[in-house]
Amino acid sequence: MGIEKGLSVAMNARIIGSGNEAIVLAHGYGQDQSFWDKITPSLARTYRVLVFDWNFSGAVKDPNLYDSAKYSSYDSFADDLIALLDEFNLRASVFMGHSMSGMIGCIASIKRPELFKRLILIGSSPRFFNDDNYEGGFESSVIEQMFSNMESNFDEWASYFASLIANAKNPLSVEKYEKSLRAMRPEVALSVAKTVFHCDERDTLDKVMTPCTIIQTTNDAPVPNSVAEYMQQKIKGETTVEKIDMDGHFPHLDAHLQFLNVVGSVLGFNPHLESSSN
């Protein structure tokens, strides 16, 4: 297997907790595994929690891990996710994917359904462009201008993008996301942004048979509420939409107690217990 051997080391993967069941946390664009820090202690009392950094993250030290041609679609990310789960020998896991990782989890679940018990999709979207009879949230001209801004002044773009995507009422979240965006190499950030914003995975959804929970904030700049409803209609597996009343793209950062309540209710555990019977 060569290149995939030791992928867990390169991607800073680690397991926290010692429950019978596993939950896999996959961060979104421009982030790293620290974006889960507010919820991992509660989850780790019931589950074995797998966290890792995607290869584009500024937290990954090997610059050769990310290849722009290979990762021009979500498919290779899904293959890496599968390789990680195989390396840790995880089966029938709960997968929690934020933003782009929600769609990556969907693709992986089609390829290897036995690896996934449930998908929890947070602020995920199969398509960001508006289209005939589809509201993705963005006109293509706005996205192309964004790519241009990334090339001309990356730091300025990172500051703007962080304030657009995170909850502006929570400066700490904006600051955390801006710092994390700036930790990426600019050419990698642009390449992954093109993969994310050019994706069209709408035809993927009706192949997803795994039960899904879609978690959507009431005001998420990149993902209109209609996208969550569209996904719920298209996904073949039993799917529900859970709303969290807040602004921004990071409910696990900005409303982590509400977020844990939703997840606990879906998975059937009490996230606020100080100890677990496992």
Side-chain angles (χ1 to χ4, degrees):
M1 297 281 283
I3 194 165
E4 283 175 3
K5 185 173 174 59
L7 195 62
S8 62
V9 175
M11 293 172 71
N12 305 321
R14 61 201 175 100
I15 288 197
I16 307 160
S18 56
N20 296 325
E21 290 188 71
I23 187 162
V24 180
L25 309 185
H27 67 76
Y29 174 76
Q31 301 162 44
D32 59 40
Q33 62 182 262
S34 73
F35 279 69
W36 301 111
D37 283 356
K38 285 188 175 181
I39 67 166
T40 44
S42 293
L43 295 176
R45 287 195 286 269
T46 304
Y47 292 91
R48 279 177 296 150
V49 183
L50 174 63
V51 290
F52 64 90
D53 298 314
W54 286 118
N55 55 17
F56 56 76
S57 168
V60 168
K61 298 309 172 206
D62 181 355
N64 300 313
L65 206 59
Y66 176 81
D67 176 271
S68 60
K70 179 181 177 185
Y71 293 96
S72 60
S73 77
Y74 287 156
D75 213 56
S76 290
F77 289 111
D79 289 341
D80 283 355
L81 173 62
I82 289 167
L84 270 185
L85 297 183
D86 280 343
E87 196 177 327
F88 282 99
N89 197 26
L90 299 180
R91 296 288 180 274
S93 300
V94 174
F95 174 81
M96 187 181 290
H98 179 236
S99 202
M100 66 182 281
S101 286
M103 292 315 304
I104 293 168
C106 286
I107 294 166
S109 78
I110 297 166
K111 292 184 179 214
R112 293 280 302 280
E114 79 281 5
L115 297 181
F116 302 93
K117 177 183 178 181
R118 173 174 294 276
L119 305 176
I120 298 178
L121 314 174
I122 309 154
S124 296
S125 173
R127 174 77 167 164
F128 290 96
F129 288 177
N130 297 326
D131 215 335
D132 292 340
N133 303 317
Y134 175 80
E135 181 193 6
F138 292 93
E139 294 299 331
S140 58
S141 58
V142 172
I143 298 297
E144 295 308 321
Q145 182 60 52
M146 184 187 87
F147 295 153
S148 172
N149 293 344
M150 290 177 78
E151 288 183 280
S152 59
N153 191 330
F154 181 71
D155 281 350
E156 193 175 284
W157 167 81
S159 180
Y160 164 76
F161 192 71
S163 62
L164 172 72
I165 302 299
N167 181 355
K169 295 173 191 155
N170 189 341
L172 287 177
S173 292
V174 176
E175 184 185 337
K176 180 176 176 62
Y177 191 37
E178 181 179 343
K179 186 178 175 185
S180 186
L181 287 165
R182 287 183 176 179
M184 283 193 293
R185 286 175 291 147
E187 68 276 14
V188 171
L190 178 61
S191 174
V192 180
K194 287 181 174 178
T195 297
V196 171
F197 284 103
H198 285 154
C199 85
D200 189 349
E201 299 292 345
R202 287 176 291 181
D203 289 343
T204 300
L205 297 174
D206 66 3
K207 301 181 188 79
V208 177
M209 308 303 291
T210 306
C212 294
T213 301
I214 297 168
I215 298 181
Q216 177 77 24
T217 67
T218 44
N219 185 20
D220 186 351
V223 186
N225 277 254
S226 57
V227 170
E229 290 153 17
Y230 176 88
M231 289 174 67
Q232 182 184 24
Q233 288 167 4
K234 293 285 183 185
I235 290 170
K236 281 286 187 288
E238 185 184 336
T239 303
T240 57
V241 175
E242 303 286 345
K243 295 271 179 70
I244 292 182
D245 188 11
M246 58 158 279
D247 294 342
H249 196 50
F250 297 99
H252 46 304
L253 267 186
D254 293 321
H256 71 283
L257 295 178
Q258 280 175 272
F259 181 85
L260 282 167
N261 284 339
V262 167
V263 172
S265 146
V266 166
L267 298 180
F269 75 96
N270 183 342
H272 308 300
L273 283 178
E274 286 307 314
S275 60
S276 165
S277 57
N278 283 336

